[in-house]
Amino acid sequence: MSERQTLIEVRGLCNRFGRNSVHENLDLDLYRGEILGVVGGSGTGKSVLLRSIVGLIRPSEGEVRLFGQNLLTLPAAERSRLEQRMGVLFQGGALFSSLTVRENVALPLIEHAGLSRKDAEELAEVKLALSGLAAHAGDLYPASLSGGMVKRASLARALALDPDVVFLDEPTAGLDPIGAADFDQLLLTLRNALGLTVFMVTHDLDSLWTACDRIAVLSQKRVLVADTPERVADYDNPWIQNYFNGPRGRAAYRAVNGS
């Protein structure tokens, strides 16, 4: 088996806010073509870790290397080019309310790829179709969308610049079970078809068992374990055992694995 290519390396990461320390000496790798689920109890800094990796938060200490380069030490022009290789779906979607769905997806193509509005909106239609939205959805404004449509529209925008890595922050939160399951299958389809690499912060046990190749558990200000779902579920730690092998965890496992 060929060695996995590491796209993101986090080493010795520390995030401190005043006297509050969220992460201390945290290490984590993300490999090309995998879907990595990131879980942890409340206050373990899952979203803070995501924002540190994409450059929205400057860590107190440590290093984050994306595609072999340290994002925070690059000149502005090189940093911008590197950031375009990442797509982000934030909690709540973060769509611009004054723009249609099509315009939301076209915006990064106009601003970063230099496309004309006409060309950008034509390409936006392709991204919306990839995300599973009906053709008429492009004309709608975010306020008119259901929760599932917001997630798909936000994913389409994250995919606009054909990124190598997509970061998802609680992508199935607020969705009904059918909508959440559809989103999980969409992720698998996009990963298999486009070779996407996915970093997904989630509490959704069904998503963890259905879509993730590995799971990283944040605890005690670091990554306690990062391994396959089966090995993580067997890890000797009270929180992990309660999370993965409690009633909901067992039900999610049976639903996916049929046993």
Side-chain angles (χ1 to χ4, degrees):
M1 183 178 178
S2 60
E3 186 177 348
R4 294 178 293 185
Q5 181 183 359
T6 304
L7 294 190
I8 295 174
E9 299 173 81
V10 180
R11 295 292 182 269
L13 185 75
C14 301
N15 277 307
R16 306 184 187 107
F17 303 93
R19 296 183 178 181
N20 182 34
S21 173
V22 179
H23 302 131
E24 291 289 342
N25 297 313
L26 184 151
D27 295 338
L28 183 63
D29 290 327
L30 179 67
Y31 302 114
R32 180 177 292 280
E34 76 169 344
I35 299 177
L36 174 71
V38 178
V39 302
S42 178
T44 53
K46 300 177 293 294
S47 294
V48 171
L49 174 60
L50 184 155
R51 291 171 178 268
S52 297
I53 293 173
V54 301
L56 294 175
I57 294 175
R58 180 176 286 274
S60 304
E61 294 178 24
E63 184 177 70
V64 179
R65 300 187 69 82
L66 293 83
F67 317 111
Q69 300 184 72
N70 188 333
L71 182 67
L72 296 178
T73 62
L74 290 175
E78 292 183 38
R79 174 172 175 165
S80 178
R81 284 193 292 271
L82 196 64
E83 287 172 340
Q84 291 173 38
R85 297 178 65 184
M86 302 182 289
V88 185
L89 189 163
F90 295 103
Q91 287 190 44
L95 297 171
F96 293 106
S97 60
S98 60
L99 301 180
T100 66
V101 168
R102 183 184 301 104
E103 290 168 339
N104 264 282
V105 179
L107 187 60
L109 293 163
I110 295 169
E111 291 193 345
H112 298 296
L115 298 186
S116 67
R117 176 169 178 168
K118 178 178 181 296
D119 290 342
E121 292 194 355
E122 287 180 357
L123 189 52
E125 293 283 1
V126 175
K127 303 301 181 181
L128 290 170
L130 274 176
S131 299
L133 282 171
H136 76 278
D139 296 320
L140 301 177
Y141 286 89
S144 302
L145 303 180
S146 67
M149 293 174 73
V150 167
K151 301 291 186 181
R152 289 173 183 265
S154 301
L155 179 61
R157 187 176 63 182
L159 296 174
L161 296 173
D162 297 325
D164 294 288
V165 183
V166 175
F167 294 84
L168 310 176
D169 197 352
E170 299 286 2
T172 59
L175 298 185
D176 63 78
I178 294 174
D182 287 345
F183 194 92
D184 291 339
Q185 291 303 318
L186 174 63
L187 274 188
L188 288 168
T189 299
L190 291 174
R191 188 274 300 274
N192 295 337
L194 305 178
L196 278 180
T197 303
V198 179
F199 180 106
M200 177 169 62
V201 172
T202 184
H203 286 101
D204 193 327
L205 282 155
D206 291 316
S207 295
L208 293 169
W209 282 115
T210 300
C212 293
D213 301 295
R214 289 193 306 138
I215 297 171
V217 179
L218 299 190
S219 180
Q220 302 165 32
K221 304 182 182 181
R222 60 186 178 88
V223 174
L224 185 63
V225 59
D227 212 326
T228 63
E230 292 79 10
R231 289 177 178 170
V232 169
D234 286 339
Y235 193 82
D236 186 14
N237 172 268
W239 187 89
I240 290 177
Q241 289 304 308
N242 287 334
Y243 191 81
F244 286 95
N245 296 309
R248 290 189 177 184
R250 292 196 302 271
Y253 178 83
R254 287 195 297 269
V256 173
N257 295 281
S259 61

